[in-house]
Amino acid sequence: MIRSLLRDDDLTAAEQAHVLARAAAFQRDPHHARPLAGPKAVAMIFDKQTLRTQVSFSAGIAELGGAAVMVDGALARIGERESIADVGRVLGRQVEAIVWRTYEQRRLEEMAHWSGVPVVNALTDEFHPCQLLADLLTVREEFGELAGRKVAFLGDGACNMGHSWLLAGALAGMDVRIAAPAAFAPAPEILERAAAIAAGTGGAVAHLEDPVAALEGVDVATTDTWVSMGKEDEAAERARIFGPYALDEAALAHAADHAIVLHCLPAYRGKEISAAVLDGPRSRVWDQAENRRHVQKAVLEFCVAGGLPVEAV
Ligand code: CP
């Protein structure tokens, strides 16, 4: 069976726990497993800007014994120069897996349909599942168990990070609070799906307009840029709308005393997060950025193997 990671809930709760455990093992010993030895090739396509994702996948694929093949999204112009279906069929004959950062989720789904190899979401407009696994690994390092931990995400609740926190946090049995203005609430179908997952894992999900209520007693406070890729012309308006949702020292005072701070980066100090918080003692953002490599190696291992190893099922 071909296993892709197109959105966070493509993994079951047990599979998510397995991937996180394998990521922790890769963190302890980066070279202990080489499922891409050969080397086997993995195509990486970026239709949007990147730093962390490109570097962490490239380094991780090398550590797995494989070879990363960069496909320049601006040259390939997938869906314009050539259909997604044709690109998928061509790439599937050349590589073991495809990692793609693109726009609409449906583009990724179409690639997965046609390529015949695992496809990994390296960020779409709707979801950022690799980032969420890195975030969960960071929380796991700090607190051990994820289940029952409270997290508040502040800002644009309709963005990929808000959606992925809902799904991945619910799978992990966490209490996920999205603090966002009504006009930037998470998509209702994602909130409903996350609530259904949470009902089975003991987690909880909620959208709150009040950032102080969302932050009350949380273990993890997190945010993301207010200006997602493609929204640059709305920057001034978004700064006005999201101002009350800034993660600064006054906001963080409502979190638990032991709370940690996450940010998927790039960060804009003085906008969605203050410099004092981002660079302060509670920040775990550099561990979080490193963890991208460990979790993505575990994802590639899982996908290339076609799912959980027999002994883990
Ligand atoms: N967090 C993240 O995905 O970083 P890049 O956009 O730099 O890849």
Side-chain angles (χ1 to χ4, degrees):
M1 181 180 175
I2 296 168
R3 293 299 304 265
S4 291
L5 180 62
L6 306 184
R7 47 187 275 170
D8 307 79
D9 56 347
D10 282 342
L11 298 177
T12 64
E15 288 169 346
Q16 184 197 68
H18 169 82
V19 167
L20 291 173
R22 290 294 300 138
F26 279 120
Q27 189 181 44
R28 287 191 297 273
D29 179 359
H31 299 105
H32 76 274
R34 293 167 60 82
L36 298 179
K40 295 174 181 169
V42 176
M44 298 199 311
I45 317 165
F46 291 92
D47 293 342
K48 296 183 178 185
Q49 301 160 61
T50 180
L51 172 73
R52 277 147 292 274
T53 307
Q54 180 177 340
V55 173
S56 57
F57 265 111
S58 300
I61 290 164
E63 289 179 358
L64 292 175
V69 178
M70 278 299 299
V71 180
D72 186 333
L75 289 178
R77 291 180 26 242
I78 298 172
E80 296 171 40
R81 180 171 183 262
E82 203 169 7
S83 71
I84 295 171
D86 287 358
V87 172
R89 285 181 285 202
V90 169
L91 291 182
R93 299 293 184 98
Q94 304 287 354
V95 300
E96 206 70 19
I98 298 167
V99 173
W100 193 12
R101 169 168 289 192
T102 190
Y103 297 91
E104 302 94 338
Q105 186 74 11
R106 62 158 186 81
R107 289 168 60 80
L108 207 66
E109 288 164 4
E110 199 171 343
M111 181 72 84
H113 178 79
W114 289 104
S115 67
V117 296
V119 174
V120 177
N121 181 348
L123 179 147
T124 59
D125 294 343
E126 288 92 343
F127 303 106
H128 200 357
C130 290
Q131 181 64 58
L132 250 293
L133 288 166
D135 296 9
L136 294 182
L137 182 63
T138 312
V139 178
R140 190 180 181 273
E141 280 168 9
E142 188 75 24
F143 299 117
E145 274 291 302
L146 293 174
R149 291 287 167 192
K150 302 181 185 75
V151 56
F153 173 90
L154 275 59
D156 182 355
C159 80
N160 45 26
M161 284 300 294
H163 287 166
S164 279
W165 258 114
L166 283 168
L167 295 180
L171 273 173
M174 295 177 73
D175 174 346
V176 183
R177 304 152 181 198
I178 305 294
F184 293 86
E189 65 273 19
I190 303 301
L191 205 47
E192 280 170 30
R193 171 72 181 135
I197 294 169
T201 61
V205 295
H207 164 234
L208 298 87
E209 288 186 52
D210 179 0
V212 170
L215 281 163
E216 210 59 60
V218 294
D219 304 293
V220 182
T222 185
T223 185
D224 187 12
T225 176
W226 293 334
V227 187
S228 294
M229 285 177 262
K231 305 284 186 190
E232 289 78 4
D233 54 344
E234 300 172 19
E237 178 67 355
R238 282 175 167 260
R240 186 187 64 75
I241 293 168
F242 291 119
Y245 295 85
L247 185 53
D248 55 18
E249 284 171 303
L252 193 56
H254 298 282
D257 290 343
H258 61 253
I260 61 168
V261 170
L262 301 180
H263 190 306
C264 63
L265 305 175
Y268 299 93
R269 292 169 175 81
K271 300 283 189 191
E272 78 276 4
I273 191 165
S274 68
V277 170
L278 185 76
D279 302 315
R282 298 189 188 199
S283 173
R284 299 290 181 274
V285 300
W286 313 119
D287 295 332
Q288 183 187 2
E290 177 193 317
N291 285 342
R292 290 292 301 276
R293 184 170 87 259
H294 308 310
V295 297
Q296 288 157 190
K297 288 170 70 179
V299 166
L300 285 171
E301 179 187 62
F302 175 87
C303 290
V304 167
L308 288 175
V310 174
E311 64 273 17
V313 175

